Amino acid sequence: MPERTESESRKLLRRLRDTLATTGGGQDRLDRITHLIADSMGTEVCSIYLFRDPETLELCATEGLKKEAVHQTRMKLGEGLVGRVARNGLPINTANAPQEKGFRYMPETGEELYSSFLGVPIQRVGEKLGVLVVQSKIAREFSEDEIYALEVVAMVLAEMTELGVFNGDADGMRALHKQSVMIRGGTGQEGAAEGRVWLHEPRVVVTNPVADDPLTEIDRIREAVGKLRVSVDDLLSAESLDKDQKQVLEAYRMFANSRGWLRRMEEDIQRGLSAEAAVEKEQSAARARLEQVPDAYLRERLHDLDDLSNRLLRILTGQGQDTGAAMPDNPVLVARNIGPAELLDYGRKLKGVVLEEGSVGSHAAIVARALAIPLVIHADRIVTEALNGDQILVDGDQGIVHLRPEETVARAFRDKIAMQAAAQQRYASLRGLPAVSKCGTLTTLMMNAGLMADLPSLEGSGAEGVGLFRTELQFLVRNKMPQRAELAALYARVMDAAKGKRVAFRTLDIGSDKVLPYMKPQDEPNPAMGWRAIRVGLDKPGVLRMQLQALIRAANGRPLTVMFPFITELSEFQNARAHVMRELHREKSLGHRVPSRVEIGAMLETPSLAYAPRAFFELTDFVSIGGNDLKQFFFAADRENERVRRRYDTLNVSFLRFLMQIIDRCRETGTPLSFCGEDAGRPVEALAFAALGLRALSMRPASIGPVKALLRRVDLAEARAVIDRAMDEGAETVRPALMDWLSNQPE
Ligand code: PEP
Ligand code: MG
């Protein structure tokens, strides 16, 4: 890098900083900046275009073009050279602008006089703010160094914008992070919430983009990169990493050790940027480059690089995760992703959760569901768009987020929340009443749980017991295997809180989407159909036995209900059941009190079990249909795959006919049957199940009210007749017929 440009760009940055430090309105500052840049770069024109809205750029200040055009000249994203710079996030440098593809002449600016054009994006990591342009009469291409210098200046402008330096009277200028944004993601957990953004990992704010002493800054960046490398190595040496985590960290290490990265940041510093600003500049540049790459894998690496840059910024600024900001009222957690333990730490104080990544079956989603917090996943760019304290609306039903909403949107949304709250109130009045339908049939409604914190809902919701207690949550949120005594104490507290109501403890259901952080993950091509749930329990019975012992001790003379997940054939159930018998015997011989009564049941989650020998139905004390898994195998549609998971209707006649067979088989042997998948909590589905003859349903506590209200309103025999008729008539799904019939039922 020639020394001349180096010191000039530093001089320019210093002048820029001094200009920005003076008092004056936003417009005044912008005007002075364009003058300064044109003067320093030896060009006749310097203009700043900023986004007026996400699709429109506006000329906000100029030196050299006609002043009347300021705040008048506008262009769409992608339109003309300026629009192209903005869209692609990359510079355009040309000696002959009018000849350039896509050139658009703006007569009101008088720019026809100028031949050469250099435009660079004004952007902050992932956030496009505008375009900085210089133009001159003589036809010449700008040198690499000039481009570089202008990019550095644009970077400082972006930082200054973030700090609000131009806010005020710069009419028409887009104020960053002020606009309302709607983001369409996916549903992780239903429900609606209004609150204020609480960033799980707040962005580091760079307050000093320009630095005078490059040597000090270079020392700082080298030291920080050194620390970063050590921290990545430390992470890599952790024992409990699975293959994917290792791969990600290997990629981190590669970036962290990349000579090119450090060299480019050092060059930025030589040109006058502070160490922090240099990190951000490279982060933005890498982002712009990678966003152009069609390869999904490479674009994924963007995240790694972003993450690494953020870590480096934290090291440099000494800003930890905790910036000292106070959590707002009604916090809505916004994060790229979050682990189950961290989410559990926040607990119920969160009103909602919005994740940029995440998946329906992720541990975070499981915890959000257990906590009944509305969750939106795949909310693209939310982490860059949101600032701590921003107003945010989370629509978990639709998978939509409104950030800094317009008042009309917020009002409509509040109406929706109010309606839901009113409905909840109505349901509360049903709390003590049974779910008896008009025909006199009683359906037992129970709740699903997985955390101690769920138990208060037992009373609040009017549930008659816990039909499914997912014990794996206790295993998932720890970083080491829980001890037997710990589990026994916890299960005892669950039983205490249930006050004699039945709690069906499902033994550990891991594998597939649920991977314990401290267990060696299996490299399986298809984990949902792999080594999971009871298969793991039977093959490696140590944990299963420990869990059974904990349950027996927790019961301490009280009745105990144990349920095995994912039973596929009779012998599996026989083996699992034999473990309970053995542990009961062992506990007794150790002199411990055994439960007064033990119920041992199986979850029916694979179609095969429906056709098991009669001996299975005779042996098991009850069957609980795990509809989430059962449906995914029945329709061959992955429950976690957004593309297919809603593709097939639960009320599809094939599935209902299959349920009818299960109901018949249980009836033949007098085996109690329940349904505990998510569908049990959807009122219309619950109604169909009850009409088919399912007498027990277990669901999220919040669903009990709506399901009960509907069941009490209708005659199940009539509903059954509607279903049968639709089936006879050859319908693919009975939903339209059922909905039609329902719409004619009195409230
Ligand atoms: C199910 O599969 O329906 C079920 C209740 O279990 P989980 O969702 O925990 O797999
Ligand atoms: Mg299941």
Side-chain angles (χ1 to χ4, degrees), residues 458 464-465 494-503 558-559 597:
L458 195 50
E464 289 172 55
V494 171
M495 291 184 210
D496 293 345
K499 299 193 183 123
K501 284 187 175 156
R502 178 175 176 272
V503 180
R558 292 178 281 193
R597 185 162 47 83

Side-chain angles (χ1 to χ4, degrees), residues 640-676:
E640 275 192 66
N641 182 336
E642 281 299 324
R643 279 219 163 129
V644 296
R645 71 187 199 96
R646 290 180 219 247
R647 193 178 176 101
Y648 305 102
D649 190 357
T650 305
L651 301 189
N652 177 302
V653 293
S654 307
F655 190 61
L656 296 188
R657 284 206 173 94
F658 182 56
L659 291 183
M660 283 152 102
Q661 287 195 26
I662 300 171
I663 294 166
D664 283 348
R665 294 221 62 193
C666 287
R667 218 175 253 151
E668 282 164 21
T669 46
T671 313
L673 174 65
S674 59
F675 189 110
C676 65

Side-chain angles (χ1 to χ4, degrees), residues 573-592:
F573 184 67
Q574 287 168 326
N575 290 340
R577 192 174 178 280
H579 276 293
V580 184
M581 294 308 172
R582 211 170 302 132
E583 292 315 318
L584 280 169
H585 183 73
R586 181 175 169 273
E587 289 295 301
K588 201 169 180 176
S589 62
L590 287 173
H592 294 142

Side-chain angles (χ1 to χ4, degrees), residues 528-724:
M529 297 194 193
W531 197 56
R532 54 174 292 198
I534 196 63
R535 299 171 183 176
V536 180
L538 293 177
D539 293 356
K540 296 238 182 271
V543 178
L544 177 65
R545 288 196 349 235
M546 181 269 278
Q547 205 185 7
L548 291 172
Q549 289 158 12
L551 284 167
I552 294 167
R553 290 185 191 184
N556 192 24
R558 292 178 281 193
L560 174 67
T561 305
V562 180
M563 174 160 93
F564 291 112
F566 218 67
I567 295 286
T568 303
E569 58 177 12
L570 166 65
S571 61
E572 258 172 8
F573 184 67
Q574 287 168 326
N575 290 340
R577 192 174 178 280
H579 276 293
V580 184
M581 294 308 172
R582 211 170 302 132
E583 292 315 318
L584 280 169
H585 183 73
R586 181 175 169 273
E587 289 295 301
K588 201 169 180 176
S589 62
L590 287 173
H592 294 142
R593 278 181 80 188
V594 291
S596 56
R597 185 162 47 83
V598 182
E599 264 189 303
I600 308 170
M603 284 186 75
L604 195 158
E605 305 188 87
T606 59
S608 68
L609 196 63
Y611 304 101
R614 184 181 168 97
F616 161 71
F617 293 92
E618 286 171 347
L619 184 63
T620 187
D621 290 319
F622 63 92
V623 170
S624 187
I625 299 175
N628 306 336
D629 274 312
L630 185 63
K631 232 171 72 182
Q632 79 165 337
F633 297 118
F634 189 80
F635 289 115
D638 188 340
R639 62 190 267 189
E640 275 192 66
N641 182 336
E642 281 299 324
R643 279 219 163 129
V644 296
R645 71 187 199 96
R646 290 180 219 247
R647 193 178 176 101
Y648 305 102
D649 190 357
T650 305
L651 301 189
N652 177 302
V653 293
S654 307
F655 190 61
L656 296 188
R657 284 206 173 94
F658 182 56
L659 291 183
M660 283 152 102
Q661 287 195 26
I662 300 171
I663 294 166
D664 283 348
R665 294 221 62 193
C666 287
R667 218 175 253 151
E668 282 164 21
T669 46
T671 313
L673 174 65
S674 59
F675 189 110
C676 65
E678 295 301 316
D679 284 321
R682 304 196 167 104
V684 180
E685 278 81 340
L687 161 64
F689 297 162
L692 294 186
L694 270 158
R695 292 290 160 261
L697 303 172
S698 191
M699 61 199 75
R700 291 189 289 131
S703 298
I704 291 185
V707 168
K708 191 189 281 184
L710 183 62
L711 289 180
R712 285 174 60 88
R713 251 177 72 197
V714 296
D715 182 313
L716 291 181
E718 272 183 38
R720 176 62 191 258
V722 172
I723 293 175
D724 287 345

Side-chain angles (χ1 to χ4, degrees), residues 649 651-653 656 688 723 726-727 731-739:
D649 190 357
L651 301 189
N652 177 302
V653 293
L656 296 188
I723 293 175
M727 282 182 167
E732 184 165 79
T733 159
V734 305
R735 189 177 300 274
L738 209 52
M739 294 304 288

Side-chain angles (χ1 to χ4, degrees), residues 369-423:
R369 230 166 282 151
L371 295 172
I373 300 172
L375 164 70
V376 171
I377 53 175
H378 301 154
D380 210 21
R381 296 176 49 77
I382 184 75
V383 173
T384 350
E385 290 284 356
L387 284 185
N388 263 343
D390 277 347
Q391 192 189 4
I392 185 168
L393 310 174
V394 185
D395 185 342
D397 304 331
Q398 307 290 327
I400 290 175
V401 178
H402 299 273
L403 191 62
R404 302 178 288 269
E406 305 284 349
E407 193 43 37
T408 43
V409 175
R411 230 178 287 131
F413 195 81
R414 272 177 216 133
D415 286 348
K416 176 175 163 161
I417 296 181
M419 262 163 62
Q420 284 180 352

Side-chain angles (χ1 to χ4, degrees), residues 42 51 104 390 438 513 555:
F51 278 100
R104 204 179 138 251
D390 277 347
K438 282 199 175 145
D513 56 313

